[in-house]
Coordinates of all heavy atoms in Angstrom, one line a residue:
M1 N -5.3 -6.5 22.0 CA -4.7 -5.2 21.7 C -3.6 -5.0 22.8 O -3.8 -5.1 24.0 CB -5.8 -4.1 21.8 CG -5.3 -2.7 21.5 SD -5.4 -2.0 19.9 CE -7.1 -2.0 19.4
S2 N -2.4 -4.6 22.3 CA -1.3 -4.4 23.3 C -1.4 -3.0 23.9 O -2.0 -2.1 23.4 CB 0.0 -4.6 22.5 OG 0.1 -3.6 21.5
A3 N -0.8 -2.9 25.1 CA -0.8 -1.6 25.8 C 0.1 -0.7 25.1 O 1.1 -1.1 24.4 CB -0.2 -1.9 27.2
P4 N -0.2 0.7 25.2 CA 0.6 1.6 24.5 C 2.1 1.6 25.0 O 2.3 1.4 26.2 CB -0.1 3.0 24.7 CG -1.0 2.7 25.9 CD -1.3 1.3 25.9
A5 N 3.0 1.9 24.2 CA 4.4 2.0 24.6 C 4.6 3.1 25.6 O 3.8 4.1 25.6 CB 5.3 2.2 23.4
A6 N 5.6 3.0 26.5 CA 5.9 4.0 27.5 C 6.0 5.4 26.8 O 6.6 5.5 25.8 CB 7.1 3.7 28.2
G7 N 5.4 6.4 27.5 CA 5.4 7.7 26.9 C 4.4 8.0 25.9 O 4.4 9.2 25.4
R8 N 3.6 7.0 25.5 CA 2.6 7.3 24.5 C 1.2 7.1 25.1 O 1.0 6.2 25.9 CB 2.7 6.3 23.3 CG 3.9 6.6 22.5 CD 3.9 5.7 21.2 NE 5.2 5.5 20.7 CZ 5.6 4.5 20.0 NH1 4.8 3.6 19.7 NH2 6.9 4.4 19.6
A9 N 0.4 8.1 24.8 CA -1.0 8.0 25.4 C -1.9 7.2 24.5 O -1.7 7.1 23.3 CB -1.6 9.4 25.4
A10 N -2.7 6.4 25.2 CA -3.8 5.7 24.4 C -4.8 6.7 24.1 O -5.2 7.5 24.9 CB -4.4 4.6 25.3
V11 N -5.2 6.7 22.8 CA -6.2 7.7 22.4 C -7.4 6.9 21.8 O -7.3 5.8 21.3 CB -5.7 8.7 21.3 CG1 -4.7 9.6 21.9 CG2 -5.1 7.9 20.1
V12 N -8.6 7.5 22.0 CA -9.8 7.0 21.4 C -10.3 8.0 20.4 O -10.5 9.2 20.7 CB -10.9 6.7 22.5 CG1 -12.2 6.3 21.9 CG2 -10.4 5.7 23.5
L13 N -10.4 7.6 19.2 CA -10.9 8.5 18.1 C -12.4 8.5 18.0 O -13.0 7.5 18.2 CB -10.3 8.0 16.8 CG -8.8 7.9 16.7 CD1 -8.4 7.4 15.3 CD2 -8.1 9.2 17.0
D14 N -12.9 9.7 17.9 CA -14.4 9.7 17.6 C -14.7 9.4 16.1 O -13.7 9.3 15.3 CB -15.0 11.1 18.0 CG -14.5 12.3 17.2 OD1 -14.1 12.1 16.0 OD2 -14.4 13.4 17.8
D15 N -15.9 9.4 15.8 CA -16.2 8.9 14.4 C -15.7 9.9 13.3 O -15.2 9.4 12.3 CB -17.8 8.8 14.2 CG -18.3 7.6 14.9 OD1 -17.5 6.8 15.4 OD2 -19.6 7.5 15.0
G16 N -15.7 11.2 13.7 CA -15.1 12.2 12.7 C -13.6 11.9 12.5 O -13.2 11.9 11.4
Q17 N -12.9 11.7 13.6 CA -11.5 11.5 13.5 C -11.2 10.2 12.8 O -10.2 10.1 12.0 CB -10.9 11.5 14.9 CG -10.9 12.8 15.6 CD -10.5 12.7 17.1 OE1 -10.9 11.8 17.7 NE2 -9.8 13.7 17.6
L18 N -12.0 9.2 13.1 CA -11.8 7.9 12.4 C -12.0 8.1 10.9 O -11.3 7.5 10.1 CB -12.8 6.9 13.0 CG -12.3 5.4 12.9 CD1 -11.0 5.2 13.6 CD2 -13.4 4.6 13.6
G19 N -13.0 8.9 10.5 CA -13.2 9.2 9.1 C -12.0 9.8 8.4 O -11.7 9.5 7.3
V20 N -11.4 10.8 9.1 CA -10.3 11.5 8.6 C -9.1 10.5 8.4 O -8.4 10.4 7.4 CB -9.8 12.6 9.5 CG1 -8.5 13.2 9.1 CG2 -10.9 13.7 9.6
L21 N -8.9 9.6 9.4 CA -7.9 8.6 9.4 C -8.1 7.7 8.2 O -7.2 7.3 7.5 CB -7.8 7.9 10.7 CG -6.6 6.9 10.8 CD1 -5.3 7.7 10.9 CD2 -6.7 6.1 12.1
A22 N -9.4 7.3 8.0 CA -9.7 6.4 6.9 C -9.3 7.0 5.6 O -8.8 6.4 4.7 CB -11.2 6.0 7.0
R23 N -9.7 8.3 5.5 CA -9.4 9.0 4.2 C -7.8 9.1 4.0 O -7.3 9.0 2.9 CB -10.0 10.4 4.2 CG -11.5 10.4 3.9 CD -12.0 11.8 3.4 NE -11.7 12.9 4.3 CZ -12.4 13.2 5.4 NH1 -13.5 12.5 5.7 NH2 -12.0 14.2 6.2
M24 N -7.1 9.5 5.1 CA -5.7 9.6 5.0 C -5.1 8.3 4.5 O -4.2 8.2 3.6 CB -5.1 9.8 6.4 CG -5.0 11.3 6.8 SD -4.5 11.4 8.5 CE -2.9 10.5 8.5
L25 N -5.5 7.2 5.2 CA -4.9 5.9 4.8 C -5.3 5.5 3.3 O -4.6 4.9 2.6 CB -5.4 4.8 5.8 CG -4.7 4.8 7.1 CD1 -5.5 4.0 8.1 CD2 -3.3 4.4 7.0
G26 N -6.6 5.9 3.0 CA -7.0 5.7 1.6 C -6.1 6.4 0.6 O -5.7 5.9 -0.4
D27 N -5.8 7.7 0.9 CA -5.0 8.5 0.0 C -3.6 7.9 0.0 O -3.0 7.8 -1.1 CB -4.9 9.9 0.6 CG -6.1 10.7 0.3 OD1 -7.0 10.2 -0.5 OD2 -6.3 11.8 0.8
A28 N -3.1 7.5 1.1 CA -1.7 6.9 1.2 C -1.6 5.6 0.4 O -0.7 5.4 -0.3 CB -1.3 6.7 2.6
L29 N -2.7 4.8 0.5 CA -2.7 3.6 -0.2 C -2.7 3.8 -1.7 O -2.1 3.1 -2.5 CB -3.9 2.7 0.2 CG -3.7 1.7 1.3 CD1 -5.0 1.1 1.8 CD2 -2.8 0.6 0.8
E30 N -3.5 4.8 -2.1 CA -3.7 5.1 -3.5 C -2.3 5.5 -4.1 O -1.9 5.2 -5.2 CB -4.7 6.2 -3.7 CG -5.2 6.3 -5.1 CD -6.3 7.3 -5.2 OE1 -7.4 7.1 -4.6 OE2 -6.1 8.3 -5.9
R31 N -1.6 6.3 -3.2 CA -0.3 6.8 -3.6 C 0.8 5.6 -3.7 O 1.6 5.6 -4.6 CB 0.2 7.8 -2.6 CG 1.7 8.2 -2.6 CD 2.1 9.0 -3.8 NE 3.5 9.3 -3.7 CZ 4.5 8.5 -4.1 NH1 4.1 7.3 -4.6 NH2 5.7 8.9 -4.1
R32 N 0.7 4.7 -2.8 CA 1.7 3.6 -2.6 C 1.4 2.3 -3.4 O 2.3 1.5 -3.5 CB 1.9 3.3 -1.1 CG 2.6 4.4 -0.4 CD 4.0 4.5 -0.9 NE 4.7 5.7 -0.3 CZ 5.8 6.2 -0.6 NH1 6.5 5.6 -1.6 NH2 6.3 7.2 0.0
T33 N 0.1 2.1 -3.7 CA -0.2 0.9 -4.5 C 0.4 1.1 -5.9 O -0.1 1.9 -6.6 CB -1.7 0.6 -4.5 OG1 -2.1 0.6 -3.1 CG2 -2.0 -0.7 -5.2
P34 N 1.4 0.3 -6.2 CA 2.1 0.5 -7.5 C 1.2 0.0 -8.6 O 0.7 -1.1 -8.5 CB 3.4 -0.3 -7.3 CG 3.0 -1.3 -6.3 CD 2.0 -0.7 -5.4
P35 N 1.1 0.8 -9.6 CA 0.3 0.4 -10.8 C 1.1 -0.6 -11.6 O 0.6 -1.3 -12.5 CB 0.1 1.6 -11.6 CG 1.2 2.6 -11.2 CD 1.5 2.2 -9.8
G36 N 2.4 -0.7 -11.3 CA 3.3 -1.7 -12.0 C 3.5 -1.2 -13.4 O 3.8 -2.0 -14.3
D37 N 3.4 0.1 -13.6 CA 3.6 0.6 -15.0 C 4.8 1.6 -15.1 O 4.9 2.4 -16.0 CB 2.3 1.3 -15.6 CG 1.9 2.5 -14.7 OD1 2.6 2.8 -13.7 OD2 0.9 3.1 -15.1
C38 N 5.7 1.5 -14.1 CA 6.9 2.3 -14.2 C 7.8 1.7 -15.3 O 7.5 0.6 -15.8 CB 7.7 2.3 -12.9 SG 8.6 0.8 -12.6
A39 N 8.8 2.4 -15.8 CA 9.6 2.0 -16.9 C 10.2 0.6 -16.7 O 10.3 -0.2 -17.6 CB 10.6 3.0 -17.2
D40 N 10.8 0.4 -15.5 CA 11.5 -0.8 -15.1 C 10.5 -2.0 -15.2 O 10.8 -3.1 -15.7 CB 12.1 -0.8 -13.8 CG 13.4 0.1 -13.8 OD1 13.8 0.5 -14.9 OD2 13.8 0.5 -12.7
C41 N 9.3 -1.8 -14.6 CA 8.3 -2.9 -14.5 C 7.8 -3.2 -16.0 O 7.6 -4.3 -16.3 CB 7.2 -2.6 -13.6 SG 7.6 -2.8 -11.8
E42 N 7.6 -2.1 -16.7 CA 7.1 -2.3 -18.1 C 8.1 -3.1 -18.9 O 7.7 -4.0 -19.7 CB 7.0 -0.9 -18.7 CG 6.3 -0.9 -20.1 CD 4.9 -1.6 -20.1 OE1 4.1 -1.3 -19.2 OE2 4.7 -2.4 -21.0
L43 N 9.4 -2.8 -18.7 CA 10.4 -3.6 -19.4 C 10.4 -5.0 -19.0 O 10.5 -5.9 -19.8 CB 11.8 -2.9 -19.1 CG 13.0 -3.6 -19.8 CD1 12.9 -3.5 -21.3 CD2 14.3 -3.0 -19.3
A44 N 10.3 -5.2 -17.7 CA 10.3 -6.6 -17.2 C 9.1 -7.4 -17.7 O 9.2 -8.5 -18.1 CB 10.3 -6.6 -15.6
R45 N 8.0 -6.6 -17.8 CA 6.8 -7.3 -18.4 C 6.9 -7.6 -19.8 O 6.5 -8.7 -20.3 CB 5.6 -6.3 -18.2 CG 4.3 -7.0 -17.9 CD 3.2 -6.1 -17.4 NE 3.3 -4.7 -17.7 CZ 3.2 -3.8 -16.8 NH1 3.1 -4.1 -15.5 NH2 3.3 -2.5 -17.1
E46 N 7.6 -6.7 -20.6 CA 7.8 -6.9 -22.0 C 8.7 -8.2 -22.2 O 8.4 -9.0 -23.0 CB 8.4 -5.7 -22.6 CG 8.5 -5.7 -24.1 CD 7.1 -5.8 -24.8 OE1 6.2 -5.3 -24.2 OE2 7.0 -6.5 -25.8
I47 N 9.7 -8.3 -21.3 CA 10.6 -9.4 -21.4 C 9.9 -10.7 -21.1 O 10.1 -11.7 -21.8 CB 11.8 -9.2 -20.5 CG1 12.7 -8.1 -21.0 CG2 12.6 -10.5 -20.3 CD1 13.8 -7.6 -20.0
S48 N 9.0 -10.7 -20.1 CA 8.3 -11.9 -19.7 C 7.3 -12.2 -20.8 O 7.0 -13.4 -21.0 CB 7.6 -11.7 -18.4 OG 6.4 -11.0 -18.5
R49 N 6.7 -11.2 -21.5 CA 5.8 -11.5 -22.6 C 6.5 -12.2 -23.8 O 6.0 -13.2 -24.3 CB 5.2 -10.2 -23.1 CG 3.9 -10.3 -23.7 CD 3.3 -8.9 -24.1 NE 2.8 -8.1 -22.9 CZ 3.1 -6.9 -22.7 NH1 3.9 -6.2 -23.5 NH2 2.6 -6.3 -21.6
I50 N 7.7 -11.7 -24.1 CA 8.5 -12.3 -25.1 C 8.8 -13.7 -24.8 O 8.9 -14.6 -25.6 CB 9.8 -11.4 -25.4 CG1 9.4 -10.1 -26.0 CG2 10.8 -12.2 -26.3 CD1 10.5 -9.1 -25.9
G51 N 9.1 -13.9 -23.5 CA 9.4 -15.2 -23.0 C 8.2 -16.2 -22.9 O 8.4 -17.3 -22.5
G52 N 7.0 -15.7 -23.2 CA 5.9 -16.5 -23.2 C 5.1 -16.5 -22.0 O 4.1 -17.2 -21.8
A53 N 5.5 -15.7 -21.0 CA 4.7 -15.7 -19.7 C 3.5 -14.8 -19.9 O 3.3 -14.2 -21.0 CB 5.6 -15.1 -18.6
D54 N 2.6 -14.7 -18.9 CA 1.4 -14.0 -19.1 C 1.6 -12.5 -19.2 O 0.8 -11.8 -19.8 CB 0.4 -14.3 -18.0 CG 0.9 -14.1 -16.6 OD1 1.9 -13.4 -16.5 OD2 0.3 -14.6 -15.7
G55 N 2.7 -12.0 -18.7 CA 3.0 -10.6 -18.8 C 2.1 -9.7 -18.0 O 2.0 -8.5 -18.3
V56 N 1.4 -10.2 -17.0 CA 0.5 -9.4 -16.2 C 1.3 -8.5 -15.3 O 1.1 -7.3 -15.3 CB -0.5 -10.3 -15.4 CG1 -1.3 -9.4 -14.4 CG2 -1.4 -11.1 -16.3
F57 N 2.1 -9.1 -14.5 CA 3.0 -8.3 -13.6 C 4.3 -9.1 -13.5 O 4.3 -10.3 -13.3 CB 2.3 -8.1 -12.2 CG 2.9 -7.0 -11.4 CD1 2.6 -5.7 -11.6 CD2 3.8 -7.3 -10.4 CE1 3.2 -4.7 -10.9 CE2 4.4 -6.3 -9.6 CZ 4.1 -5.0 -9.9
P58 N 5.4 -8.4 -13.5 CA 6.7 -9.1 -13.4 C 6.7 -9.9 -12.1 O 6.2 -9.4 -11.0 CB 7.7 -8.0 -13.4 CG 7.0 -6.7 -13.1 CD 5.6 -6.9 -13.6
A59 N 7.2 -11.1 -12.1 CA 7.3 -11.9 -10.9 C 8.1 -11.1 -9.9 O 7.8 -11.2 -8.7 CB 8.0 -13.2 -11.3
E60 N 9.1 -10.4 -10.3 CA 9.9 -9.6 -9.3 C 9.7 -8.1 -9.7 O 10.3 -7.7 -10.6 CB 11.4 -10.0 -9.4 CG 11.7 -11.3 -8.9 CD 11.6 -11.4 -7.4 OE1 11.9 -10.4 -6.7 OE2 11.2 -12.5 -6.9
P61 N 8.8 -7.4 -9.0 CA 8.7 -6.0 -9.3 C 10.0 -5.3 -9.0 O 10.8 -5.7 -8.2 CB 7.6 -5.5 -8.3 CG 7.5 -6.5 -7.3 CD 8.0 -7.8 -7.8
C62 N 10.2 -4.1 -9.7 CA 11.4 -3.4 -9.5 C 11.5 -2.9 -8.0 O 10.5 -3.0 -7.3 CB 11.4 -2.1 -10.4 SG 10.3 -0.8 -9.9
E63 N 12.6 -2.4 -7.6 CA 12.9 -2.1 -6.2 C 11.9 -1.1 -5.7 O 11.3 -1.2 -4.6 CB 14.3 -1.6 -6.0 CG 14.9 -1.9 -4.6 CD 16.4 -1.6 -4.6 OE1 17.1 -2.3 -5.3 OE2 16.8 -0.8 -3.8
A64 N 11.6 0.0 -6.5 CA 10.7 1.1 -6.1 C 9.3 0.5 -5.9 O 8.6 0.9 -4.9 CB 10.8 2.2 -7.1
C65 N 8.9 -0.3 -6.8 CA 7.5 -0.9 -6.8 C 7.4 -1.8 -5.6 O 6.4 -1.9 -4.9 CB 7.1 -1.5 -8.1 SG 6.7 -0.3 -9.4
A66 N 8.5 -2.6 -5.3 CA 8.5 -3.5 -4.2 C 8.4 -2.8 -2.9 O 7.7 -3.2 -2.0 CB 9.8 -4.4 -4.2
D67 N 9.1 -1.6 -2.8 CA 9.0 -0.8 -1.6 C 7.6 -0.3 -1.4 O 7.1 -0.3 -0.3 CB 10.0 0.4 -1.7 CG 11.4 0.0 -1.5 OD1 11.7 -1.1 -1.1 OD2 12.3 0.9 -1.7
D68 N 7.0 0.2 -2.5 CA 5.6 0.7 -2.5 C 4.7 -0.4 -2.0 O 3.8 -0.2 -1.2 CB 5.2 1.2 -3.8 CG 5.7 2.6 -4.1 OD1 6.2 3.2 -3.2 OD2 5.6 3.1 -5.2
L69 N 4.9 -1.6 -2.5 CA 4.0 -2.8 -2.2 C 4.2 -3.0 -0.7 O 3.2 -3.3 0.0 CB 4.5 -4.0 -2.9 CG 3.8 -4.3 -4.2 CD1 4.4 -5.5 -4.9 CD2 2.3 -4.6 -4.0
A70 N 5.4 -3.0 -0.2 CA 5.7 -3.3 1.3 C 5.0 -2.2 2.1 O 4.4 -2.5 3.1 CB 7.2 -3.3 1.5
M71 N 5.1 -1.0 1.7 CA 4.5 0.1 2.5 C 2.9 0.0 2.4 O 2.3 0.2 3.4 CB 4.9 1.5 1.9 CG 6.1 2.0 2.7 SD 6.5 3.7 2.2 CE 7.8 3.4 0.9
S72 N 2.4 -0.3 1.3 CA 0.9 -0.4 1.2 C 0.4 -1.6 2.1 O -0.6 -1.5 2.7 CB 0.4 -0.5 -0.2 OG 0.8 -1.8 -0.8
D73 N 1.2 -2.6 2.2 CA 0.9 -3.7 3.1 C 0.8 -3.2 4.6 O -0.1 -3.6 5.3 CB 1.9 -4.9 3.0 CG 1.6 -5.7 1.8 OD1 0.6 -5.5 1.1 OD2 2.5 -6.6 1.5
E74 N 1.8 -2.3 4.9 CA 1.8 -1.8 6.3 C 0.6 -0.9 6.5 O 0.0 -0.9 7.6 CB 3.1 -1.0 6.5 CG 4.3 -1.8 6.6 CD 5.6 -1.0 6.7 OE1 5.6 0.2 6.4 OE2 6.6 -1.6 7.0
Y75 N 0.2 -0.1 5.5 CA -0.9 0.8 5.6 C -2.2 0.0 5.8 O -3.1 0.3 6.6 CB -1.1 1.7 4.4 CG 0.0 2.6 4.1 CD1 0.1 3.3 2.9 CD2 0.9 2.9 5.1 CE1 1.2 4.2 2.7 CE2 2.0 3.8 4.9 CZ 2.1 4.4 3.6 OH 3.1 5.3 3.4
V76 N -2.3 -1.1 5.1 CA -3.5 -2.0 5.2 C -3.6 -2.6 6.6 O -4.6 -2.6 7.2 CB -3.5 -3.1 4.1 CG1 -4.6 -4.1 4.4 CG2 -3.7 -2.5 2.7
A77 N -2.4 -3.0 7.1 CA -2.3 -3.6 8.4 C -2.7 -2.6 9.5 O -3.4 -2.9 10.5 CB -0.9 -4.1 8.7
L78 N -2.2 -1.3 9.3 CA -2.6 -0.3 10.3 C -4.1 0.1 10.2 O -4.7 0.2 11.3 CB -1.8 1.0 10.0 CG -2.0 2.2 11.0 CD1 -1.6 1.8 12.4 CD2 -1.2 3.4 10.5
A79 N -4.6 0.1 9.0 CA -6.0 0.4 8.9 C -6.8 -0.7 9.6 O -7.8 -0.4 10.3 CB -6.4 0.4 7.4
A80 N -6.4 -2.0 9.5 CA -7.1 -3.1 10.2 C -7.1 -2.9 11.7 O -8.1 -3.2 12.3 CB -6.5 -4.4 9.8
V81 N -6.1 -2.3 12.2 CA -6.0 -2.1 13.7 C -7.2 -1.2 14.1 O -7.7 -1.3 15.2 CB -4.7 -1.4 14.1 CG1 -4.7 -0.9 15.5 CG2 -3.5 -2.4 13.9
F82 N -7.5 -0.2 13.2 CA -8.6 0.7 13.5 C -9.9 0.3 13.0 O -10.9 1.0 13.0 CB -8.3 2.1 12.9 CG -7.1 2.8 13.7 CD1 -5.8 2.7 13.2 CD2 -7.4 3.6 14.8 CE1 -4.8 3.3 13.9 CE2 -6.4 4.2 15.5 CZ -5.1 4.1 15.0
G83 N -9.9 -0.9 12.4 CA -11.2 -1.5 11.9 C -11.6 -0.8 10.6 O -12.8 -0.8 10.3
I84 N -10.7 -0.1 10.0 CA -11.0 0.5 8.7 C -10.8 -0.4 7.6 O -9.7 -1.1 7.4 CB -10.0 1.7 8.5 CG1 -10.2 2.8 9.6 CG2 -10.2 2.4 7.1 CD1 -9.1 3.8 9.7
E85 N -11.8 -0.6 6.8 CA -11.8 -1.5 5.6 C -11.1 -0.8 4.5 O -11.4 0.4 4.2 CB -13.2 -1.9 5.2 CG -13.7 -2.9 6.2 CD -15.0 -3.6 5.7 OE1 -15.2 -3.6 4.4 OE2 -15.7 -4.2 6.5
T86 N -10.2 -1.4 3.8 CA -9.5 -0.9 2.7 C -9.9 -1.7 1.4 O -10.2 -2.8 1.5 CB -8.0 -0.9 2.8 OG1 -7.6 -2.2 3.2 CG2 -7.5 0.1 3.9
E87 N -9.9 -1.0 0.3 CA -10.2 -1.6 -1.0 C -9.1 -2.6 -1.4 O -8.0 -2.4 -1.0 CB -10.4 -0.6 -2.1 CG -11.7 0.3 -1.9 CD -11.6 1.5 -2.7 OE1 -11.0 1.5 -3.8 OE2 -12.1 2.6 -2.2
S88 N -9.5 -3.6 -2.1 CA -8.7 -4.6 -2.7 C -7.9 -5.5 -1.7 O -8.1 -5.4 -0.5 CB -7.7 -4.1 -3.7 OG -6.5 -3.6 -2.9
Ligands
ZN101 ZN1 8.2 -0.8 -11.0

């Protein structure tokens, strides 16, 4: 574990605070994990289906979904720092 950056205090969370943080990250993840059902992704999926692909999720998610995916990865990484297990 790296030392806190200058000007930042190292904090130790109690179990209650850790629980709140876990819920926060869970909510954030739920918000950011893209269902891949936005109009752009739906269109890309339809095109890939017509093209004979499995049509599960577009190989290239739209920009908004890609951003959400990147952010949810960051949330999962932050949760891991606190030892918080995230779903999926
Ligand atoms: Zn999308």
Side-chain angles (χ1 to χ4, degrees):
M1 177 99 56
S2 60
R8 287 190 207 153
V11 292
V12 176
L13 303 180
D14 65 29
D15 285 351
Q17 292 169 323
L18 207 54
V20 172
L21 188 65
R23 285 200 304 277
M24 274 174 56
L25 285 165
D27 286 349
L29 265 171
E30 200 174 295
R31 162 77 180 81
R32 287 297 172 188
T33 302
D37 61 359
C38 79
D40 286 348
C41 284
E42 186 59 45
L43 180 65
R45 213 167 21 236
E46 191 59 36
I47 290 168
S48 79
R49 204 177 288 133
I50 291 166
D54 57 14
V56 173
F57 196 79
E60 291 289 326
C62 73
E63 207 167 301
C65 288
D67 285 350
D68 280 350
L69 267 173
M71 268 188 265
S72 68
D73 282 350
E74 290 176 344
Y75 296 166
V76 169
L78 182 62
V81 169
F82 289 95
I84 296 167
E85 287 193 18
T86 50
E87 290 162 34
S88 83

